[in-house]
Amino acid sequence: MQKQTLVLGERLRTIRKMRGYTQSELAKGICTQGVISNIEGKNGKENPSSSILFQLSERLGVTMSYLYGQEESASFVTSKDIRQSEVSKIIKNLKARRDYAALNYIIENEKNKSSQLSNAEKQYLLWHEAVCSYYERKSVDEAISLFTRALDLQTTKKKADLVQRVEIELSLGSIYYEENHYSESEYMLLACLENIQELETDSSVYEVMTKIHFNLSNIYNRKEEYEKALRHAEAALDLSVSSNTLTLLGDALYQIGYTNSLIGNTQLGIDYIEKSLVIVTLLDNQKLVSIIENTLAKLKPHTSITLD
């Protein structure tokens, strides 16, 4: 038993560090930090209950047998994170196209076939399930409940996980906007902007910042604070160029044009919106093409799109 607990401690420590958890983060909601410390100690003096070990193995995405040294292969612990898989590319594309019916199918399929996921991966699926719940199933309460469950999951301090958390809060803020809760949405999105600006910038950070500025522009248009709306729309345009994302560039051009149309700069607004239409048409996004063509035809003040 002494040898077995020594193997357990060594493997638990190795996998914990690989997943990016501190002892406290791994223990949260399962046991005390002291229990983890004792398991990983050189003397192997802690032999946890099967219940605790099961919960630890679930959080780490490994089997109990592997932790106890009954399986030698560790290949399963380095399986590709769902967020770096081909499926994630499909999910991102479907979100950009607002094809929530297809997105819902993909998410349900992934939920049913995935057995060993990290908390970050579970959070990722819950996030997109919440998006589908709101936009496809039209259930506000269910969506907010799913968002809450996702945000309650303990994840690591790795940059990818921190960015994901901001993205989830951004999606929730977008739903508050859709439900006309503009002050709540503004508060949440400004907090998102503050949090994302603390991270080292790269294309993923620029992309999220673009979406935040875009949605803040939407909010300020609704609140008739047009100077703020235009400032955030222009920030979204600058960042969309930095992130080199054609979809976001089209969205930002639309937003600048739309905001200019609201303050009486009609021709300037049309010029920007027509540029946006060219990009969206190239991307073959018929839903957005329809919205933009309608705006060009009517330039009504309450036509807008949101990014989740």
Side-chain angles (χ1 to χ4, degrees), residues 103-118:
L103 178 61
N104 185 63
Y105 175 82
I106 295 293
I107 295 301
E108 289 300 318
N109 187 55
E110 289 303 306
K111 281 171 53 185
N112 291 333
K113 74 179 185 181
S114 301
S115 57
Q116 291 185 342
L117 297 174
S118 67

Side-chain angles (χ1 to χ4, degrees), residues 41-229:
K42 293 181 179 180
N43 296 325
K45 59 183 179 180
E46 183 85 33
N47 188 23
S49 68
S50 57
S51 174
I52 288 176
L53 187 60
F54 174 75
Q55 291 179 77
L56 293 175
S57 66
E58 283 283 290
R59 181 162 291 177
L60 292 169
V62 299
T63 64
M64 292 171 65
S65 297
Y66 176 76
L67 288 178
Y68 265 130
Q70 295 167 0
E71 295 175 9
E72 291 302 320
S73 173
S75 60
F76 55 87
V77 304
T78 58
S79 59
K80 198 169 188 179
D81 189 317
I82 189 174
R83 298 170 298 170
Q84 275 76 56
S85 69
E86 288 300 313
V87 171
S88 70
K89 296 178 182 178
I90 296 171
I91 289 172
K92 185 174 183 178
N93 182 53
L94 291 173
K95 282 176 63 182
R97 297 174 65 84
R98 277 80 168 172
D99 190 346
Y100 298 112
L103 178 61
N104 185 63
Y105 175 82
I106 295 293
I107 295 301
E108 289 300 318
N109 187 55
E110 289 303 306
K111 281 171 53 185
N112 291 333
K113 74 179 185 181
S114 301
S115 57
Q116 291 185 342
L117 297 174
S118 67
N119 272 7
E121 291 171 286
K122 291 176 183 177
Q123 186 183 66
Y124 176 81
L125 291 177
L126 279 169
W127 165 28
H128 289 96
E129 185 180 0
V131 169
C132 292
S133 178
Y134 183 78
Y135 291 103
E136 175 64 15
R137 298 194 289 275
K138 312 299 182 185
S139 176
V140 180
D141 291 342
E142 180 186 65
I144 291 176
S145 175
L146 288 166
F147 275 119
T148 301
R149 284 173 56 194
L151 291 169
D152 282 346
L153 285 172
Q154 183 77 17
T155 54
T156 74
K157 299 299 183 182
K158 291 181 179 178
K159 183 178 178 181
D161 290 352
L162 294 173
V163 171
Q164 176 170 283
R165 184 167 292 274
V166 172
E167 288 186 283
I168 296 169
E169 291 169 344
L170 167 59
S171 289
L172 181 54
S174 298
I175 286 178
Y176 284 132
Y177 166 82
E178 296 281 7
E179 293 300 307
N180 302 323
H181 300 310
Y182 303 133
S183 294
E184 292 90 336
S185 181
E186 178 188 9
Y187 177 82
M188 180 165 283
L189 294 185
L190 288 173
C192 287
L193 189 59
E194 183 178 345
N195 290 335
I196 201 72
Q197 287 173 336
E198 293 178 356
L199 303 179
E200 182 181 353
T201 53
D202 59 14
S203 59
S204 67
V205 170
Y206 283 137
E207 184 174 336
V208 176
M209 288 174 67
T210 303
K211 293 178 180 180
I212 295 170
H213 281 294
F214 180 96
N215 285 331
L216 281 168
S217 181
N218 264 339
I219 292 168
Y220 291 126
N221 275 333
R222 289 292 179 91
K223 296 176 75 172
E224 299 184 354
E225 297 179 33
Y226 299 122
E227 185 177 338
K228 287 184 179 180

Side-chain angles (χ1 to χ4, degrees), residues 168-304:
I168 296 169
E169 291 169 344
L170 167 59
S171 289
L172 181 54
S174 298
I175 286 178
Y176 284 132
Y177 166 82
E178 296 281 7
E179 293 300 307
N180 302 323
H181 300 310
Y182 303 133
S183 294
E184 292 90 336
S185 181
E186 178 188 9
Y187 177 82
M188 180 165 283
L189 294 185
L190 288 173
C192 287
L193 189 59
E194 183 178 345
N195 290 335
I196 201 72
Q197 287 173 336
E198 293 178 356
L199 303 179
E200 182 181 353
T201 53
D202 59 14
S203 59
S204 67
V205 170
Y206 283 137
E207 184 174 336
V208 176
M209 288 174 67
T210 303
K211 293 178 180 180
I212 295 170
H213 281 294
F214 180 96
N215 285 331
L216 281 168
S217 181
N218 264 339
I219 292 168
Y220 291 126
N221 275 333
R222 289 292 179 91
K223 296 176 75 172
E224 299 184 354
E225 297 179 33
Y226 299 122
E227 185 177 338
K228 287 184 179 180
L230 192 57
R231 186 168 69 247
H232 283 287
E234 290 170 343
L237 178 61
D238 291 341
L239 287 163
S240 67
V241 174
S242 298
S243 66
N244 197 28
T245 306
L246 199 57
T247 301
L248 296 178
L249 179 61
D251 290 334
L253 287 168
Y254 171 89
Q255 193 68 3
I256 291 176
Y258 175 69
T259 304
N260 270 290
S261 74
L262 293 179
I263 58 178
N265 299 330
T266 305
Q267 188 54 53
L268 182 59
I270 289 172
D271 291 344
Y272 273 104
I273 293 171
E274 285 179 340
K275 292 176 185 177
S276 172
L277 182 60
V278 171
I279 293 174
V280 173
T281 301
L282 285 173
L283 293 171
D284 194 27
N285 189 332
Q286 292 305 311
K287 288 186 179 180
L288 280 182
V289 166
S290 178
I291 291 174
I292 293 170
E293 287 179 339
N294 183 62
T295 304
L296 281 171
K298 300 179 180 179
L299 289 176
K300 288 185 176 179
H302 297 301
T303 301
S304 62

Side-chain angles (χ1 to χ4, degrees), residues 8-16 26 39-40 60 67:
L8 168 62
E10 181 181 340
R11 291 195 171 183
L12 184 69
R13 181 171 57 255
T14 299
I15 300 302
R16 174 179 63 77
L26 178 59
I39 295 173
E40 295 182 357
L60 292 169
L67 288 178

